Amino acid sequence: MEEQKKKTSKATNCHNIEIKIEGPAWEEAMDVAFKNKVKTVEVDGFRKGKCPRNVYESKFGKASLFSDAADHVLQDAYQKALDDSKLIPVVQPEVSLKDINEDGVTFNFKIITKPLVKVNQYKGLGIKKEEVVVTSEEIDHEIGHLLEKYTELVVKDEKEPVALGDVAIIDFEGFHNGEAFEGGKGENYSLEIGSHTFIPGFEEQVVGMKVGEEKDINVTFPEDYPEESLKGQAVVFKVKVNEIKTKEKRELDEDFFEDLGMEGVTDEKSLREEVEKNIKAQKEMDAENTYIDKLLEEIAKHVEVDIPEEMVSEEVDRLLRRTEQSLRMQGISLDLYYQFTRTTEQDLRNQLEKEAYQNVLYRLMLEEIMNIEKIEVTTEEAEKESQTLADKYKMEKDEFLRQFGGIEMVQYDLEMRKTFELLKELNK
């Protein structure tokens, strides 16, 4: 037999649902728990897994099965809570064990549902999209970047010394109080002079050295250096220059256009046109994003909603996972990030809280506008969009849907896009 009792907290979207599992359902759960437990225990006179239940319970007690039995029925109890209450949770529920004994188990599910959202104004807000203009200076600047990007390094005459902007190929080894320290040695290391990738003062002392020259370079590690033993410490690097390379400035000639490999770009005129087109496309995208941000920010000023802290906390969790993935792609773990930045997970969570709150607010507000305007996307539309996106990313449709989160997520994404398009129309 299963019993249900509902308690609503002061917040109308916070509901406490009690579900008790007893009778045959609990007996079955206890039996499953026993069958799993008996495989792992040793009882004199019986092979592992062959001990009768009455002997097991006599030795270990029925209570030893309670926890596993509760785990076995937890998901069913949660589904029962949702089915009976007809509630739709917006975050993972908080589960507590209210009571457990040989007769049954009682769970309490704290279920947070969507709060009441009132959007008082979202039309005719006077927000305008910025007009995009590309200047000659911006085109010149970008072409300069391209010339720099395709700059070639050529070996410098051995008689000429290292100069600012050169790449010096060096051997080095660092010593602290006469002892070589870990991580302070390198061979044939390419160091761009002026890049400020080494300890402050190091690169400046390489300037003027010639090929084959050896020199002691004295520097002091910064006070915020990650390695504790070297913070603020004076050290000596023994440095030898093996080779010097200098950047050979490129010209807007046939060889350069060939290296660029841009379709249709064969001379300066066509290059400027292509660069202008690319800059304009990027600025159009930036202007669109800025316009949407301002529009959402203005609509949010006219929204009434009491957002549950659980929704914000769950969004912080999502942003934290995103941050961890981003750092991992750079070869940095969260622990290393905390060490470098001298912060903790709680510090990072605090930093993410404002963004998390805004994300939840915007999502709730857009969903309410979607509801008011009766914006819908059919399953057929979502299926077609799924195939289009799968083709774009060169994936099988089923694999794309698995990674994207299912057809419902595609449907939701399309609904959001339709809502954005409508908001832009309503605010022209």
Side-chain angles (χ1 to χ4, degrees), residues 69-107:
D71 288 342
H72 181 71
V73 297
L74 177 58
Q75 190 57 44
D76 288 341
Y78 178 46
Q79 190 58 54
K80 173 69 174 172
L82 296 181
D83 291 343
D84 288 357
S85 66
K86 309 300 181 188
L87 297 173
I88 301 175
V90 289
V91 295
Q92 287 296 314
E94 183 181 311
V95 186
S96 58
L97 194 63
K98 184 175 181 182
D99 187 35
I100 190 168
N101 53 53
E102 60 183 275
D103 296 324
V105 59
T106 303
F107 297 102

Side-chain angles (χ1 to χ4, degrees), residues 50-248:
K50 298 299 182 180
C51 173
R53 183 165 172 177
N54 63 328
V55 176
Y56 170 90
E57 290 182 354
S58 175
K59 182 175 178 63
F60 297 102
K62 287 185 178 182
S64 66
L65 303 175
F66 290 169
S67 179
D68 286 358
D71 288 342
H72 181 71
V73 297
L74 177 58
Q75 190 57 44
D76 288 341
Y78 178 46
Q79 190 58 54
K80 173 69 174 172
L82 296 181
D83 291 343
D84 288 357
S85 66
K86 309 300 181 188
L87 297 173
I88 301 175
V90 289
V91 295
Q92 287 296 314
E94 183 181 311
V95 186
S96 58
L97 194 63
K98 184 175 181 182
D99 187 35
I100 190 168
N101 53 53
E102 60 183 275
D103 296 324
V105 59
T106 303
F107 297 102
N108 184 82
F109 296 96
K110 181 182 177 183
I111 298 176
I112 306 297
T113 55
K114 190 174 179 178
L116 179 65
V117 183
K118 188 176 181 182
V119 184
N120 295 312
Q121 188 179 352
Y122 60 91
K123 303 175 183 179
L125 296 170
I127 306 296
K128 302 297 179 184
K129 184 176 176 180
E130 183 182 346
E131 187 178 347
V132 169
V133 177
V134 180
T135 66
S136 294
E137 289 77 14
E138 288 173 322
I139 297 172
D140 292 339
H141 185 71
E142 182 58 30
I143 290 176
H145 270 310
L146 288 172
L147 288 168
E148 179 70 21
K149 180 181 178 181
Y150 285 88
T151 293
E152 294 179 346
L153 288 173
V154 295
V155 177
K156 203 170 182 178
D157 190 305
E158 291 190 3
K159 295 179 182 178
E160 294 186 40
V162 176
L164 191 66
D166 287 345
V167 174
I169 315 301
I170 62 173
D171 295 339
F172 64 88
E173 186 170 14
F175 294 85
H176 178 230
N177 293 331
E179 298 287 334
F181 56 84
E182 188 176 351
K185 185 176 182 179
E187 294 182 353
N188 288 321
Y189 184 88
S190 295
L191 175 64
E192 182 177 347
I193 307 303
S195 63
H196 305 295
T197 53
F198 261 41
I199 303 162
F202 185 98
E203 294 171 28
E204 290 82 351
Q205 295 181 62
V206 177
V207 172
M209 292 181 68
K210 294 182 178 180
V211 172
E213 184 178 347
E214 298 182 23
K215 181 179 180 180
D216 286 355
I217 290 179
N218 295 279
V219 291
T220 301
F221 277 96
E223 292 292 343
D224 60 354
Y225 192 71
E227 174 53 50
E228 194 69 34
S229 64
L230 293 174
K231 286 181 178 179
Q233 298 298 306
V235 297
V236 177
F237 280 95
K238 294 188 177 297
V239 178
K240 179 184 177 183
V241 176
N242 298 322
E243 191 176 52
I244 306 170
K245 294 181 179 180
T246 190
K247 294 178 180 178
E248 188 175 72

Side-chain angles (χ1 to χ4, degrees), residues 349-407:
R349 291 184 71 86
N350 292 341
Q351 291 172 27
L352 294 171
E353 193 166 328
K354 182 179 179 181
E355 181 183 353
Y357 180 87
Q358 179 179 275
N359 289 351
V360 174
L361 172 61
Y362 286 178
R363 186 167 69 240
L364 290 171
M365 141 185 126
L366 288 167
E367 287 173 356
E368 180 58 17
I369 294 171
M370 192 189 301
N371 181 55
I372 295 169
E373 296 290 341
K374 296 180 171 54
I375 294 173
E376 294 180 350
V377 170
T378 65
T379 304
E380 289 73 24
E381 287 178 289
E383 291 284 359
K384 184 178 179 181
E385 178 68 7
S386 300
Q387 187 61 62
T388 301
L389 291 172
D391 292 342
K392 177 182 178 181
Y393 296 114
K394 296 180 173 55
M395 298 170 67
E396 291 295 325
K397 182 180 170 184
D398 289 346
E399 177 60 19
F400 167 77
L401 286 173
R402 187 185 69 78
Q403 292 192 23
F404 197 77
I407 195 70

